[in-house]
Amino acid sequence: MNFDRHRRLRSSAAMRNLVRETSIAKKDLIYPIFVIEKDDIKNEISSMPGIYQLSLNKLQEELKEAYEAGIRAVMFFGIPNEKDECGTGAFIDDGIIQRATRLSKELYPDMLVLADTCLCEYTDHGHCGLLDDHGHVLNDETLPLLVKTAVSQAKAGADIIAPSNMMDGFVQAIRSGLDEAGFHNIPIMSYGIKYASAFYGPFRDAAESTPGQGDRKGYQMDPANRLEAMRELESDLAEGCDMMIVKPALSYLDIIRDVRNNSNVPVVAYNVSGEYAMTKAAALNGWIDEERVVMEQMISMKRAGADMIITYFAKDICNYLDKGAYS
């Protein structure tokens, strides 16, 4: 019989491991953590089982778990005690992100700290920038506050600035601000391809950042658009970004591949809260094998072209990898 014998390379676990094209490693993972400006708090987020709002003293325990699991990069999101119209808590030197960063660098100097650089968690209206009298987000007037936030985070010890605000020109403004402050070697991981997605709901519960009025469709991208992502990519590369995030991940694998094919910077997939919540809910109901589904999702992101993955599953994945079935 004259046909190809593709199954020859699937005949045993050892053979399949030998020819495997895509793999997941602990070094690929970035673990998001929510830090709250209160005392002795560990609040599980109801829509995200296993993920918590953590006060600084509880953060120590979480960092220890993450570090011992093999995670070497964390991303902090802050929940301040007080909010105002301009998000002051984002850029003050003793802000919650700044304090969490200093603590992390003191405890684990070799663990990378990524700082989410945005105002939405700190504004009383929940938007990512300043508002005019009609409730519209002001682009250019917001940029100086983002610069102040990035510089403050860098001063606190952040290794990577990750701006997620989707203001036009934010990469250029932050790059200039960091350079002027002497932080030439701090890279920018841009959330420049961030869609106005329905998959962010659990995150907004966790970060307490739901807009009080309107939505973010005026500055985040339309989920129907593909070419627009390439325009955002071109702008951010020209403005000096060092790494590019695509957010969300699973419904945007085509965009991840487009970014990989059209750039030479590291590509980051953000496996967002809604993706996490759906998988957890199905697993808790016994409908899926959580471990296998999670790893298949991670492989799909890597196969699409992601170099790194921001995921709430990071600790679980480290445990899966320790079993040796996915190496």
Side-chain angles (χ1 to χ4, degrees), residues 85-158:
E85 63 182 8
C86 62
T88 303
F91 49 81
I92 56 176
D93 288 341
D94 63 345
I96 186 59
I97 289 291
Q98 290 78 357
R99 292 161 63 194
T101 299
R102 287 192 288 267
L103 175 63
S104 180
K105 299 309 290 186
E106 177 184 340
L107 295 173
Y108 303 103
D110 61 330
M111 178 181 278
L112 294 175
V113 171
L114 290 74
D116 177 71
T117 306
C118 196
L119 304 181
C120 63
E121 295 135 62
Y122 307 90
T123 55
D124 53 16
H125 46 74
H127 279 285
C128 301
L130 298 173
L131 300 182
D132 65 15
D133 294 338
H134 303 288
H136 300 136
V137 176
L138 297 167
N139 191 94
D140 295 11
E141 293 84 348
T142 296
L143 295 177
L145 298 185
L146 297 173
V147 172
K148 288 178 66 175
T149 301
V151 170
S152 175
Q153 292 168 339
K155 286 180 178 178

Side-chain angles (χ1 to χ4, degrees), residues 108-303:
Y108 303 103
D110 61 330
M111 178 181 278
L112 294 175
V113 171
L114 290 74
D116 177 71
T117 306
C118 196
L119 304 181
C120 63
E121 295 135 62
Y122 307 90
T123 55
D124 53 16
H125 46 74
H127 279 285
C128 301
L130 298 173
L131 300 182
D132 65 15
D133 294 338
H134 303 288
H136 300 136
V137 176
L138 297 167
N139 191 94
D140 295 11
E141 293 84 348
T142 296
L143 295 177
L145 298 185
L146 297 173
V147 172
K148 288 178 66 175
T149 301
V151 170
S152 175
Q153 292 168 339
K155 286 180 178 178
D159 298 286
I160 298 172
I161 297 299
S164 60
N165 53 87
M166 287 298 286
M167 298 297 109
D168 290 336
F170 71 95
V171 172
Q172 178 176 303
I174 290 172
R175 182 72 272 159
S176 296
L178 289 171
D179 290 349
E180 288 173 9
F183 296 107
H184 306 279
N185 294 323
I186 300 294
I188 294 175
M189 180 186 286
S190 171
Y191 282 77
I193 300 176
K194 181 179 180 181
Y195 285 87
S197 172
F199 287 100
Y200 302 149
F203 174 92
R204 291 172 183 171
D205 293 339
E208 301 179 9
S209 62
T210 302
Q213 58 177 329
D215 54 42
R216 295 179 178 140
K217 294 179 180 178
Y219 45 102
Q220 295 178 0
M221 293 172 54
D222 186 339
N225 291 354
R226 182 179 180 184
L227 295 179
E228 183 181 2
M230 296 301 97
R231 297 197 295 273
E232 290 282 358
L233 173 65
E234 291 171 6
S235 294
D236 284 12
L237 291 175
E239 292 176 20
C241 84
D242 301 280
M243 293 171 270
M244 197 73 183
I245 297 174
V246 177
K247 181 180 181 183
L250 291 175
S251 292
Y252 300 87
L253 296 175
D254 59 324
I255 307 301
I256 294 173
R257 172 46 57 187
D258 285 342
V259 173
R260 175 72 289 148
N261 289 344
N262 289 277
S263 71
N264 58 7
V265 298
V267 179
V268 187
Y270 198 139
N271 179 214
V272 299
S273 60
E275 297 166 343
Y276 175 90
M278 290 192 304
T279 302
K280 278 289 185 182
L284 288 170
N285 277 286
W287 297 336
I288 61 171
D289 181 325
E290 180 176 339
E291 177 178 333
R292 291 184 62 196
V293 168
V294 168
M295 293 306 291
E296 190 170 336
Q297 291 173 344
M298 299 304 124
I299 286 290
S300 75
M301 297 170 209
K302 289 293 297 292
R303 193 180 63 243

